[in-house]
């Protein structure tokens, strides 16, 4: 068995001894033994608030088109991701997204393995910390399985290769890939068993409360195409948190737009950085879905001369309203409204679906410029919901996950093309929606098989 090739936050876990009088803690070292120690691990913002950035580059929210200077800035693995290449990394490169998310899993496993036996904490405190660690582990695995495994398909999920499913803090374990079904089953188990111990109201956006637990169940079921359950969980999340920002309050610039951790729409904060720290133009395809009257266009996009390096067209500006606030990719109130609306549209309740979409849209236009959307059929309502997801969630990287799940539906799947340095690259429904596992990891762990792409 090989060592898992990820960057780990190594925790010194003590062992018992009958010679306690010689057990002296060494300078600059701490044995994690108190309940408060494990809460402090969950308070590690730099670890737990970070999510994967590369989906921002994969998805069709952005397109470099003919901008040569920007194309020249995309090198190595960034170019490979942007062109949906067969391989992203060489054997001497690591994948920061894979490493970061498995680091989160490792720390969560340290917590779940040890917090219940920790000292100087009440049983309620220990259960709360244990539950939060399971939620954070579920978030990490949900992102991982939607990057490095095939789209969930109930007919094949039990045999499709998923991920190494690590549930204990052992460093030397076989890394055979559990099935996609096993990974999703564990995500659902972690979230459902954690929910009773989550607070009704989270202490802040960095820690999950019940709204986050239900929201993550909604997102999980959405990616599993269990749309009715997704809608139900989204509704439950909204019963705990349903505040929307009214963008007309910020239209004239006199009121300050809230930062990520103060934003009442954010349910659980997860942030991503722009790959290579490069600002990229929004695609024409996306911009055609926005109108100048849409306050999301006015507030969250800017002309390309605002960015460095400058470019033709418009770019995503939402993360730049406050610097350095980063891109927000966590679960949110608007996402829950749109998940519920999608579930309703798919179950034949088009009017209820459109009522939710219009409730959201009323907060995205000045009253004189707002027009309610209407759908004549359930199919039309579904397309309107998906279009609204593009308008509401653009620039976050979440579009890539929508492209993945919709790629298995012939009526909704799309073929994407990009011209990069004179070569046309095309993404069709299939296994290029699965990221390759870094060869470095496989060389160190031969049982970790590569994805077919």
């Amino acid at each position: 068995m090989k060592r898992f090739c990820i960057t780990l936050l190594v925790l010194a876990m003590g062992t018992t001894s009958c010679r306690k009088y010689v057990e002296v803690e060494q300078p600059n070292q701490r044995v994690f033994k108190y309940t408060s120690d494990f809460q402090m691990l969950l308070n590690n913002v730099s670890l737990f608030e970070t999510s994967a950035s590369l989906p921002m580059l994969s998805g069709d929210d952005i397109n470099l088109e003919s901008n040569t200077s920007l194309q020249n800035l995309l090198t190595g693995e960034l170019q490979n991701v942007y062109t949906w290449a067969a391989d992203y990394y060489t054997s001497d490169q690591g994948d920061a997204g894979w490493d970061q998310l498995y680091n989160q899993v490792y720390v969560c496993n340290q917590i779940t393995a040890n917090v219940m036996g920790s000292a100087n904490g009440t049983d309620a405190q220990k259960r709360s910390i244990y539950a939060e660690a399971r939620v954070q582990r579920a978030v990490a695995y949900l992102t991982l399985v939607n990057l490095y495994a095939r789209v969930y398909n109930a007919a094949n999920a039990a045999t499709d290769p998923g991920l190494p499913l690590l549930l204990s803090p052992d460093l030397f374990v076989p890394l055979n890939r559990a099935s996609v079904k096993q990974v999703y089953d564990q995500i659902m188990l972690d979230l459902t068993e954690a929910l009773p111990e989550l607070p009704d109201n989270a202490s802040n956006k960095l820690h999950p409360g019940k709204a986050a637990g239900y929201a993550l169940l909604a997102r999980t079921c959405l990616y599993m195409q269990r749309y009715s359950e997704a809608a139900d969980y989204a509704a439950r999340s909204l019963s705990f948190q349903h505040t929307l920002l009214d963008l007309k309050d910020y239209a004239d610039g006199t009121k300050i737009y809230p930062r990520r951790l103060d934003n009442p729409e954010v349910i659980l904060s997860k942030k991503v950085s722009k790959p290579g720290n490069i600002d990229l133009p929004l695609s024409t395809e996306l911009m055609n879905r926005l109108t100048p009257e849409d306050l999301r266009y006015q507030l969250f996009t800017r002309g390309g001369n605002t960015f460095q390096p400058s470019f033709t067209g418009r770019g995503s500006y939402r993360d730049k309203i406050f610097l350095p606030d980063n891109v927000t990719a966590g679960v949110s109130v608007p996402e829950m409204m749109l998940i519920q609306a999608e579930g309703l549209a798919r179950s034949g309740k088009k009017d209820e679906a459109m009522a939710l979409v219009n409730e959201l849209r009323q907060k995205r236009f000045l009253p004189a410029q707002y027009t309610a959307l209407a759908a004549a059929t359930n199919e039309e309502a579904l397309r309107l919901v998906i279009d609204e997801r593009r308008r509401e969630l653009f620039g976050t990287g979440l579009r890539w996950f929508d492209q993945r799940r919709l790629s298995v539906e012939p009526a909704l799947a799309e073929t994407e093309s990009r011209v990069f340095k004179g070569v046309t690259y095309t993404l069709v429904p299939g296994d290029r929606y699965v990221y390759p596992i870094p060869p470095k990891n496989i060389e160190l762990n031969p049982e970790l098989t590569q994805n077919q792409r």
Side-chain angles (χ1 to χ4, degrees):
M1 293 177 285
K2 304 290 186 180
R3 182 183 296 273
F4 201 5
C5 181
I6 57 177
T7 304
L8 295 177
L9 173 64
V10 179
L11 311 177
M13 305 307 301
T15 57
T16 58
S17 170
C18 61
R19 300 179 62 201
K20 293 186 178 180
Y21 61 92
V22 298
E23 293 180 0
V24 179
E25 291 185 0
Q26 299 301 308
N28 301 319
Q29 294 186 18
R30 280 280 282 108
V31 175
F32 288 81
K33 59 184 178 182
Y34 302 114
T35 302
S36 59
D37 293 335
F38 296 98
Q39 182 61 66
M40 284 190 286
L41 290 177
L42 289 170
N43 293 345
N44 186 344
V45 176
S46 62
L47 176 66
F48 281 110
E49 199 186 8
T50 303
S51 191
S53 297
L54 292 181
M56 298 178 67
L57 199 57
S58 305
D60 60 7
D61 278 354
I62 57 104
N63 195 307
L64 301 189
E65 297 177 344
S66 59
N67 196 306
T68 304
S69 61
L70 282 175
Q71 290 185 16
N72 289 334
L73 291 176
L74 286 190
T75 59
E77 69 275 13
L78 297 183
Q79 173 180 326
N80 294 334
V81 173
Y82 180 74
T83 58
W84 313 299
D87 299 304
Y88 291 173
Y89 303 96
T90 60
S91 60
D92 61 345
Q93 290 179 306
D95 180 338
W98 172 283
D99 292 349
Q100 181 82 15
L101 291 165
Y102 265 111
N103 196 357
Q104 293 174 14
V105 169
Y106 176 76
V107 175
C108 288
N109 288 342
Q110 286 281 9
I111 295 169
T112 57
N114 296 285
V115 68
M116 297 308 295
S118 62
N120 296 355
T122 66
D123 184 62
Q125 289 171 328
K126 294 174 185 179
R127 292 199 315 270
S128 176
I129 293 167
Y130 182 86
E132 181 174 344
R134 293 189 72 177
V135 171
Q136 295 288 7
R137 183 171 68 187
V139 179
Y141 271 127
L142 183 60
T143 304
L144 284 163
V145 78
N146 278 281
L147 291 177
Y148 301 98
R150 289 177 176 170
V151 178
Y152 187 92
N153 181 327
N156 304 322
T159 55
D160 281 341
L163 303 166
L165 190 57
L166 310 179
L167 303 175
S168 64
D170 300 318
L171 290 177
F172 298 92
V173 294
L175 299 179
N176 304 87
R177 297 172 66 174
S179 71
V180 168
K181 182 179 186 303
Q182 287 173 305
V183 177
Y184 271 97
D185 285 349
Q186 185 62 48
I187 293 167
M188 294 292 291
L189 182 67
D190 276 344
L191 293 173
T192 53
E193 292 190 351
L195 258 167
E197 301 298 335
L198 297 179
D200 287 355
N201 299 295
S203 57
N204 56 51
K205 306 295 184 184
L206 299 170
H207 298 285
K210 282 189 168 60
Y214 284 120
L216 291 164
L217 282 166
R219 185 185 277 187
T220 302
C221 288
L222 182 79
Y223 293 166
M224 297 173 76
Q225 296 99 49
R226 289 161 52 172
Y227 296 110
S228 178
E229 291 172 78
D232 181 60
Y233 284 129
R236 295 189 194 187
S237 176
L238 292 169
S239 72
F240 287 94
Q241 184 174 341
H242 197 167
T243 303
L244 283 174
L245 291 174
D246 195 335
L247 294 190
K248 73 174 184 293
D249 294 340
Y250 308 94
D252 62 4
T254 57
K255 186 174 181 179
I256 299 175
Y257 191 82
R259 303 190 70 146
R260 181 176 69 256
L261 296 182
D262 298 322
N263 190 328
E265 292 185 349
V266 174
I267 296 175
L268 181 65
S269 181
K270 294 290 177 181
K271 64 181 183 181
V272 296
S273 301
K274 292 184 177 179
N277 199 29
I278 302 170
D279 293 309
L280 299 173
L282 295 169
S283 67
T284 302
E285 179 185 355
L286 169 64
M287 297 309 296
N288 285 341
R289 286 174 166 79
L290 291 163
T291 62
E293 297 78 23
D294 193 323
L295 293 174
R296 290 167 294 193
Y297 175 91
Q298 296 180 24
L299 294 172
F300 301 150
T301 76
R302 286 290 187 276
N305 58 357
T306 307
F307 304 97
Q308 292 294 330
S310 61
F311 51 78
T312 301
R314 297 185 75 84
S316 178
Y317 191 77
R318 195 175 329 198
D319 61 306
K320 293 182 176 295
I321 294 176
F322 287 107
L323 291 175
D325 217 24
N326 294 97
V327 177
T328 300
V331 285
S332 67
V333 169
E335 182 188 1
M336 291 306 105
M337 295 177 70
L338 292 168
I339 287 177
Q340 186 183 6
E342 182 169 342
L344 290 168
R346 289 179 180 272
S347 63
K349 300 176 181 178
K350 63 178 179 63
D351 294 335
E352 293 176 48
M354 295 314 301
L356 274 168
V357 170
N358 286 320
E359 180 185 348
L360 173 61
R361 286 175 58 83
Q362 279 185 307
K363 305 293 186 180
R364 302 312 189 231
F365 292 83
L366 295 174
Q369 296 170 330
Y370 167 73
T371 302
L373 298 181
T377 65
N378 293 315
E379 292 75 17
E380 184 182 359
L382 176 57
R383 289 188 177 275
L384 288 172
V385 172
I386 292 171
D387 277 351
E388 201 62 36
R389 282 182 66 91
R390 292 210 65 181
R391 286 186 283 267
E392 183 65 31
L393 304 176
F394 78 85
T396 63
L398 294 176
R399 171 60 183 169
W400 176 249
F401 301 107
D402 277 348
Q403 286 180 254
R404 272 177 49 92
R405 68 183 178 90
L406 297 175
S407 71
V408 300
E409 298 188 56
L412 297 172
E414 297 179 356
T415 296
E416 298 294 332
S417 293
R418 288 173 170 171
V419 177
F420 186 81
K421 296 183 178 179
V423 179
T424 300
Y425 298 88
T426 302
L427 176 68
V428 298
D431 285 341
R432 288 294 169 93
Y433 277 107
V434 183
Y435 280 13
I437 294 172
K440 179 179 179 180
N441 296 54
I442 296 174
E443 289 180 10
L444 292 169
N445 311 281
E447 71 272 32
L448 184 61
T449 56
Q450 184 57 277
N451 288 317
Q452 295 181 0
R453 304 185 76 246

